[in-house]
């Protein structure tokens, strides 16, 4: 008999009733150190007092009005994002995949309005993940995501990640945009080298096409900059954001330059809930903390400490781990043992990590994890690895 919850996930047995900072707690009081943060979502940990206050204050005042009216919290969050980034304008969604839908529509409408109606193709890369909506799965294009779901949205050109020659050859007069994650998340924490991101920007400029960055996982302080592309010193034309921006409240956004967004006039897009007062009140509280340079400096310091301890862990367990990669607090341990075994052994030692493709386990902890928690996390990972050797 089918379970009452549609069985599209294979879930671990834990069931949490409470969160405190980097800790998740079960009904019987057992505590787990959370290095997954709900897949890079809880950037400020669980039950962060500033976020709880922002949400409860707003909940007592007003939940929802729709985008038929002015929403001051949405205006405030858009202003913060515009001030802190390349963007001139922001549309709010409830998730990453909805941000993908709009990014694709925006890129196509841009060319349509310029009279270049055949320019609809978007170049994407193997190992990428852009969500589970129709445009999201079509963009990623992996068989695992699209098989069985009938005709998929056309107009995506899929290339091998890192194949520069194929990329240059793939650009035609039908190319509208290139869409890429600066650091692949689901694909196994594969950071695009800064040089490559610069090269992509140059290539887009040379051909006059749009660069869309998916920073749903790597954005919002995760890599030690507010957004990952800042490391390369470039800016996109369109950027997808979600996960961390709501700190645990469902919230996403598409950020864009005035030029890239020029086709999205009144009536061309919409969302009932996107940019609602609750989500945007929390988003403002997240931005106030995460965009502070002192906060980001701490993220970088702690990321260095974590990475150094992980190098030690790898050296102690050469039969279990192969290496560490990633950027800031978005780290991947490339495994020799099956990654799912290591994640399960972590659960037994009350430390939570997230598996990814390419036999990697992901470490995406709250960005405000303490030094002591970093030491404790690596101690628990060490015990988990020892139990497998
Ligand atoms: C999670 C993720 C998405 C999809 O976000 P949802 O909120 O699950 O729809 C898109 N892109 C990337 C890079 C992601 O990590």
């Amino acid at each position: 008999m089918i379970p009452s919850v549609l069985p599209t996930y294979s879930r671990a047995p834990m069931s949490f009733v409470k969160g405190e900072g980097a800790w998740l707690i079960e009904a019987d009081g057992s505590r787990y150190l959370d290095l997954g943060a709900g897949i890079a979502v809880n950037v400020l940990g669980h039950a962060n007092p500033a976020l709880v206050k922002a949400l409860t204050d707003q909940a007592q005042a007003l939940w929802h009005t729709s985008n038929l009216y002015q929403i001051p919290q949405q205006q405030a969050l858009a202003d913060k994002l515009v001030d802190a980034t390349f963007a001139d304008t922001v549309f709010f969604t409830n998730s990453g995949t909805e941000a993908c839908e709009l990014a694709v529509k925006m890129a196509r409408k841009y060319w349509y309005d310029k009279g270049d109606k055949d320019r609809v193709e978007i170049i994407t890369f193997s190992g990428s993940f852009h969500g589970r909506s129709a445009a999201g799965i079509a963009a990623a294009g992996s068989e695992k995501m699209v098989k069985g779901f009938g005709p998929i949205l056309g107009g995506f050109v899929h290339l091998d990640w890192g194949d520069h020659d194929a990329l240059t050859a793939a650009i035609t007069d039908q190319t509208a945009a290139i869409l890429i994650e600066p650091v692949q998340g689901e694909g196994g924490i594969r950071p695009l080298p800064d040089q490559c991101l610069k090269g992509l920007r140059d290539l887009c400029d040379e051909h006059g096409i749009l660069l869309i960055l998916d920073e749903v996982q790597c954005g919002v302080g995760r890599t030690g900059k507010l957004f990952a592309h800042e490391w390369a010193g470039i800016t996109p034309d369109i950027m997808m954001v979600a996960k961390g921006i709501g700190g645990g409240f469902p919230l996403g956004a598409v950020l864009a330059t005035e030029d890239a967004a020029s086709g999205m006039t009144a009536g061309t897009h919409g969302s009932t809930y996107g940019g609602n007062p609750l989500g945007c009140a929390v988003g403002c509280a997240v931005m106030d903390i995460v965009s502070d340079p002192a906060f980001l400096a701490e993220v970088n310091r702690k990321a260095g400490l974590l990475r150094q301890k992980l190098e030690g862990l790898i050296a102690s367990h050469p039969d279990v781990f192969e290496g560490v990669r990633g950027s800031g607090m978005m780290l991947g341990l490339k495994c020799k043992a099956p990654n799912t075994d290591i994640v399960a052994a972590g659960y037994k030692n009350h430390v939570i990590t997230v598996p990814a493709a390419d036999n990697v386990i992901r470490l995406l902890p709250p960005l405000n994890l303490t030094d002591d928690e970093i030491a404790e996390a690596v101690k628990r990972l060490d015990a988990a690895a020892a139990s497998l050797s």
Side-chain angles (χ1 to χ4, degrees):
M1 200 172 74
I2 193 165
S4 57
V5 174
L6 189 73
T8 59
Y9 297 102
S10 60
R11 296 172 195 265
M14 300 90 77
S15 168
F16 301 108
V17 295
K18 195 172 158 56
E20 285 173 9
W23 297 86
L24 281 170
I25 303 156
E26 290 190 299
D28 68 358
S30 2
R31 296 167 68 84
Y32 288 71
L33 191 46
D34 183 11
L35 305 183
I39 319 185
V41 166
N42 307 97
V43 279
L44 298 172
H46 301 281
N48 180 282
L51 272 50
V52 171
K53 182 171 190 315
L55 183 64
T56 49
D57 284 356
Q58 187 57 48
Q60 274 157 14
L62 184 65
W63 288 22
H64 174 81
T65 58
S66 92
N67 285 299
L68 294 171
Y69 314 105
Q70 308 293 321
I71 301 178
Q73 297 77 13
Q74 185 181 131
Q75 182 65 54
L77 181 54
D79 289 344
K80 285 179 198 293
L81 287 165
V82 165
D83 281 349
T85 69
F86 73 96
D88 302 313
T89 189
V90 184
F91 183 93
F92 291 102
T93 66
N94 309 286
S95 68
T97 205
E98 288 170 80
C100 182
E101 297 290 323
L102 173 56
V104 167
K105 284 175 71 175
M106 185 182 281
R108 290 181 173 174
K109 187 68 162 41
Y110 173 84
W111 288 111
Y112 183 90
D113 283 7
K114 287 203 176 331
D116 218 339
K117 298 192 171 49
D118 292 332
R119 234 182 232 280
V120 294
E121 281 180 4
I122 297 178
I123 294 176
T124 62
F125 299 91
S126 58
S128 64
F129 183 79
H130 304 295
R132 297 295 196 137
S133 61
I137 62 173
S142 72
E143 182 173 305
K144 181 184 150 198
M145 275 185 268
V146 302
K147 194 178 171 189
F149 294 114
I152 63 166
L153 184 65
F156 292 94
V157 176
H158 302 105
L159 302 180
D160 280 340
W161 190 86
D163 187 343
H164 189 264
D165 294 341
L167 176 58
T168 323
I171 295 176
T172 68
D173 56 8
Q174 293 183 21
T175 308
I178 294 175
L179 164 59
I180 195 163
E181 295 160 80
V183 185
Q184 280 193 351
E186 305 300 311
I189 312 292
R190 287 200 293 181
L192 198 65
D194 289 348
Q195 269 321 107
C196 294
L197 202 45
K198 283 194 185 114
L200 277 179
R201 179 70 271 179
D202 289 346
L203 198 64
C204 287
D205 289 344
E206 200 180 305
H207 295 272
I209 59 183
L210 300 171
L211 179 62
I212 308 173
L213 294 181
D214 180 347
E215 293 226 16
V216 169
Q217 194 160 148
C218 62
V220 196
R222 180 60 45 199
T223 67
K225 295 271 192 197
L226 186 56
F227 290 101
H229 65 263
E230 294 170 30
W231 289 110
I234 59 108
T235 58
D237 301 293
I238 300 173
M239 178 167 73
M240 297 156 50
V241 177
K243 293 199 165 93
I245 188 67
F249 195 92
L251 178 64
V254 173
L255 279 62
T257 62
E258 182 167 10
D259 185 42
S262 57
M264 303 308 295
T265 49
T268 54
H269 197 62
S271 167
T272 297
Y273 291 122
N276 66 79
L278 292 170
C280 290
V282 180
C284 282
V286 169
M287 275 297 286
D288 286 345
I289 296 171
V290 174
S291 65
D292 179 351
F295 178 88
L296 292 170
E298 267 296 278
V299 173
N300 283 303
R301 186 189 62 77
K302 286 177 193 169
L305 181 66
L306 174 58
R307 192 159 184 142
Q308 184 195 339
K309 287 186 184 292
L310 290 174
E311 297 284 5
L313 172 77
I314 295 158
S316 315
H317 301 280
D319 49 335
V320 179
F321 299 115
E322 206 172 293
V324 58
R325 64 198 194 198
S327 176
M329 291 279 199
M330 184 171 185
L331 295 172
L333 284 168
K334 171 83 174 155
C335 303
K336 281 189 183 154
N339 60 349
T340 47
D341 289 0
I342 304 174
V343 170
Y347 294 156
K348 289 208 182 84
N349 288 277
H350 287 205
V351 61
I352 293 174
T353 59
V354 184
D358 199 28
N359 205 33
V360 162
I361 67 171
R362 271 180 284 178
L363 277 52
L364 309 158
L367 303 179
N368 56 1
L369 189 78
T370 66
D371 289 12
D372 287 349
E373 286 163 345
I374 289 172
E376 183 62 32
V378 178
K379 209 170 106 190
R380 289 177 187 218
L381 289 172
D382 185 74
S387 75
L388 292 173
S389 309

